């Protein structure tokens, strides 16, 4: 039976003190139990996911979005492995960050504590359901999920498996709740529920994030879209560049850390572009380039201004020619979304300049942007990639889901 928002809020508030009293050992045991349950119920999860996949295909859903939606045994195993990794990580809750003695004898310290009840609004990515649960659970938070209607069968199934495993561990299953009502008015109403939500995190496309940021009265941690760039410097190893670009563009097209924009130094462009186009042709990637790129190799679609700032989530790559690293950095800082940017170079000074001057949550030297991910960073999973600069930035792991409180020891002091 679907719960109303009022009911969800009531159960979340009831679960909140229970979660904050759970010890690390109990949390880890429950996470491992959920991971095992996901693997054991993989056939059930795939069958429910197939209902969403079929509906998506019938509705003409874009290939990149279908890829985000798809569950396979390997992807379910990765979800489970993420929970196992989270269980193996140090529990940040209760950590005392500092303790200082004041002249009056007071001992004043800071201690990590849960945020409380975390609301997450996300689009058609069922793996987010498990990732969000794991990170929130380890940090003693209750999580209220509002997934996309396109993935509703998948999300209901995943949450059902999680809740059954928690119940078997004698842990309050209301540590995770899913809003099953697909009415957009419910999503808008959720953004106003400061009475039970402590923070709201949107995870999805630009439209969703903008809607939450503009309409929420609940504090928001903003995750961002990914117009990620790779800059091929004049000293780059071109074989390395081709391999990195191919991975960053084509390994998964529907993710926020995929490369969407390429910036190439004019001194290596004529040598790079034929090699790169031959490789990208293996995946039928459309290249949209400026005039210099079009002169370097045939089969290039002329780029327009809007291409420089676009997150395609498709087999499309824009290519911009520059005459210096300064021009490359200026172009990237103008059009990027603050997510992930990379330079391919053998020049140490240029590598350091790029790291220092590019404004993004993650900046790489000679590596694919696809590594911007909580699992790859050793966080077990992620709640999202924050592209804002307050509270959290980059892949949001356990510490991003905590806050602090001051703890003060005295022996009778009065002011």
């Amino acid at each position: 039976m679907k719960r109303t928002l009022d009911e969800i809020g009531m159960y979340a508030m009831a679960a909140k003190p229970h979660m904050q009293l759970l010890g690390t050992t109990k949390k880890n045991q429950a996470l491992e139990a959920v991971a095992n349950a996901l693997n054991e119920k993989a056939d059930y999860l795939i069958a429910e996911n197939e209902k969403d996949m079929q509906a998506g295909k019938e509705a003409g859903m874009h290939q990149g979005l279908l890829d985000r939606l798809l569950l396979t045994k390997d992807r379910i195993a990765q979800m489970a492995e993420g929970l196992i990794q989270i269980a193996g990580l140090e529990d940040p809750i209760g950590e005392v960050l500092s303790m200082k003695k004041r002249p009056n004898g007071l001992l004043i310290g800071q201690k990590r504590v849960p945020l409380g009840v975390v609301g997450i609004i996300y689009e058609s990515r069922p793996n987010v359901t498990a990732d969000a649960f794991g990170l929130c659970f380890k940090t003693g938070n209750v999580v209220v999920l509002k997934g996309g209607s396109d993935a509703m069968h998948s999300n209901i199934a995943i949450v059902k498996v999680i809740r059954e495993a928690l119940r078997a561990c004698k842990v309050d299953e209301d540590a995770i709740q899913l809003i099953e009502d697909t009415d957009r008015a419910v999503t808008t109403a959720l953004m106003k529920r400061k009475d039970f939500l402590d923070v709201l995190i949107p995870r999805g496309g630009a439209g969703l994030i903008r809607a939450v940021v503009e309409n929420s009265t609940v504090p928001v941690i903003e995750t961002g879209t990914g117009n990620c760039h790779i800059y091929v410097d004049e000293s780059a190893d071109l074989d390395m560049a081709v391999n990195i670009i191919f991975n960053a563009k084509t390994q998964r097209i529907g993710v926020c850390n995929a490369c969407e924009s390429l910036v190439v130094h004019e001194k290596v462009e004529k040598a790079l572009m034929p090699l790169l186009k031959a490789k990208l042709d293996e995946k039928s990637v459309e290249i949209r380039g400026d005039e210099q790129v079009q002169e370097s190799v045939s089969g290039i679609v002329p780029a327009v201004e809007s291409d420089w700032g676009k997150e395609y989530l498709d087999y499309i790559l824009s290519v911009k020619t520059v005459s210096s690293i300064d021009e490359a950095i200026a172009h990237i800082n103008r059009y990027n979304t603050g997510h992930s940017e990379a330079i391919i170079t053998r020049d140490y000074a240029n590598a350091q300049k790029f790291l220092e001057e590019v404004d993004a949550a993650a900046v790489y030297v000679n590596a694919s942007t696809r590594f911007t991910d909580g699992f790859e960073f050793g966080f077990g999973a992620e709640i999202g990639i924050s592209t804002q600069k307050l509270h959290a930035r980059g892949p949001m792991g356990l510490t991003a889901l905590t806050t602090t409180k001051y703890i003060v020891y005295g022996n009778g002091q009065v002011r």
Side-chain angles (χ1 to χ4, degrees), residues 53-233:
M53 289 294 294
Q54 190 59 40
K57 291 172 184 175
E58 291 173 359
M61 184 182 287
H62 187 276
Q63 184 180 0
L65 297 179
L66 285 172
D67 177 65
R68 283 186 171 192
L69 178 59
L70 178 65
L71 284 181
T72 64
K73 285 200 173 181
D74 283 344
R75 290 188 180 183
I76 292 168
Q78 288 174 359
M79 287 162 48
E81 176 59 26
L83 297 180
I84 296 294
Q85 279 202 16
I86 292 170
L89 295 174
E90 185 175 348
D91 189 346
I93 299 302
E95 177 187 4
V96 176
L97 302 176
S98 65
M99 184 67 71
K100 295 180 180 178
K101 189 173 184 178
R102 299 291 298 146
N104 61 5
L106 287 178
L107 288 172
I108 301 178
Q110 271 188 308
K111 179 181 179 179
R112 285 201 186 279
V113 296
L115 289 169
V117 180
V118 178
I120 302 177
I121 301 176
Y122 58 108
E123 293 175 335
S124 304
R125 295 183 66 173
N127 65 294
V128 174
T129 305
D131 291 351
F133 158 74
L135 291 166
C136 288
F137 188 83
K138 180 73 179 236
T139 47
N141 292 296
V142 176
V143 65
V144 174
L145 301 171
K146 179 66 177 73
S149 58
D150 295 334
M152 187 55 70
H153 289 95
S154 306
N155 290 335
I156 289 173
I158 293 168
V159 170
K160 180 181 178 182
V161 171
I162 293 172
R163 287 173 65 93
E164 287 174 352
L166 293 180
R167 195 182 314 132
C169 292
K170 295 182 169 49
V171 173
D172 192 337
E173 62 195 271
D174 288 325
I176 178 172
Q177 294 188 75
L178 177 70
I179 299 171
E180 297 182 27
D181 195 324
T182 58
D183 190 335
R184 288 192 176 185
V186 175
T187 305
T188 302
L190 180 66
M191 300 178 200
K192 313 293 184 184
R193 297 307 297 261
K194 290 182 70 174
D195 55 324
F196 69 87
L197 288 179
D198 292 289
V199 67
L200 192 58
I201 302 172
R203 183 168 176 179
L208 168 67
I209 294 166
R210 184 169 56 251
V212 174
V213 170
E214 293 177 354
N215 293 296
S216 180
T217 58
V218 179
V220 174
I221 299 176
E222 182 179 352
T223 62
T225 54
N227 180 29
C228 303
H229 297 73
I230 293 177
Y231 166 54
V232 182
D233 192 30

Side-chain angles (χ1 to χ4, degrees), residues 233-238 240 344-351 366:
D233 192 30
E234 61 182 305
S235 67
D237 179 319
L238 297 189
M240 176 192 289
I344 314 300
T345 186
R346 286 183 284 202
D347 186 313
Y348 176 81
N350 281 359
N366 296 332

Side-chain angles (χ1 to χ4, degrees), residues 135-389:
L135 291 166
C136 288
F137 188 83
K138 180 73 179 236
T139 47
N141 292 296
V142 176
V143 65
V144 174
L145 301 171
K146 179 66 177 73
S149 58
D150 295 334
M152 187 55 70
H153 289 95
S154 306
N155 290 335
I156 289 173
I158 293 168
V159 170
K160 180 181 178 182
V161 171
I162 293 172
R163 287 173 65 93
E164 287 174 352
L166 293 180
R167 195 182 314 132
C169 292
K170 295 182 169 49
V171 173
D172 192 337
E173 62 195 271
D174 288 325
I176 178 172
Q177 294 188 75
L178 177 70
I179 299 171
E180 297 182 27
D181 195 324
T182 58
D183 190 335
R184 288 192 176 185
V186 175
T187 305
T188 302
L190 180 66
M191 300 178 200
K192 313 293 184 184
R193 297 307 297 261
K194 290 182 70 174
D195 55 324
F196 69 87
L197 288 179
D198 292 289
V199 67
L200 192 58
I201 302 172
R203 183 168 176 179
L208 168 67
I209 294 166
R210 184 169 56 251
V212 174
V213 170
E214 293 177 354
N215 293 296
S216 180
T217 58
V218 179
V220 174
I221 299 176
E222 182 179 352
T223 62
T225 54
N227 180 29
C228 303
H229 297 73
I230 293 177
Y231 166 54
V232 182
D233 192 30
E234 61 182 305
S235 67
D237 179 319
L238 297 189
D239 288 334
M240 176 192 289
V242 169
N243 287 335
I244 288 175
I245 296 162
F246 183 76
N247 173 263
K249 177 68 260 182
T250 70
Q251 199 244 350
R252 285 189 70 182
I253 60 168
V255 290
C256 59
N257 56 17
C259 176
E260 305 286 19
S261 301
L262 182 63
V263 182
V264 183
H265 196 285
E266 61 185 8
K267 289 185 178 179
V268 295
E269 185 176 77
K270 291 192 186 312
L272 172 70
M273 288 311 300
L275 297 173
L276 179 62
K277 187 173 188 307
K279 186 66 175 175
L280 292 178
D281 280 348
E282 294 177 15
K283 295 282 189 176
S284 301
V285 176
E286 177 184 301
I287 298 175
R288 299 181 183 179
D290 58 22
E291 289 184 6
Q292 293 98 312
V293 175
Q294 294 170 52
E295 292 172 1
S296 297
V297 66
S298 61
I300 303 298
V301 176
V304 296
E305 173 66 22
S306 61
D307 284 309
W308 307 137
K310 192 163 186 177
E311 183 185 33
Y312 297 111
L313 302 175
D314 200 350
Y315 288 104
I316 303 172
L317 180 71
S318 69
V319 185
K320 170 71 175 176
T321 308
V322 294
S323 59
S324 68
I325 187 172
D326 289 306
E327 186 181 352
I329 291 171
H331 177 84
I332 290 169
N333 283 340
R334 177 180 177 184
Y335 292 102
N336 78 355
T337 53
H339 196 293
S340 302
E341 313 298 337
I343 181 174
I344 314 300
T345 186
R346 286 183 284 202
D347 186 313
Y348 176 81
N350 281 359
Q352 293 304 112
K353 180 180 180 67
F354 194 86
L355 289 174
E356 290 178 7
E357 297 183 18
V358 169
D359 187 12
V363 186
Y364 294 83
V365 175
N366 296 332
S368 171
T369 57
R370 285 285 289 117
F371 286 104
T372 307
D373 175 86
F375 187 89
E376 295 292 340
F377 276 28
F379 301 162
E382 68 187 34
I383 210 73
I385 309 292
S386 172
T387 53
Q388 66 180 36
K389 297 181 181 180

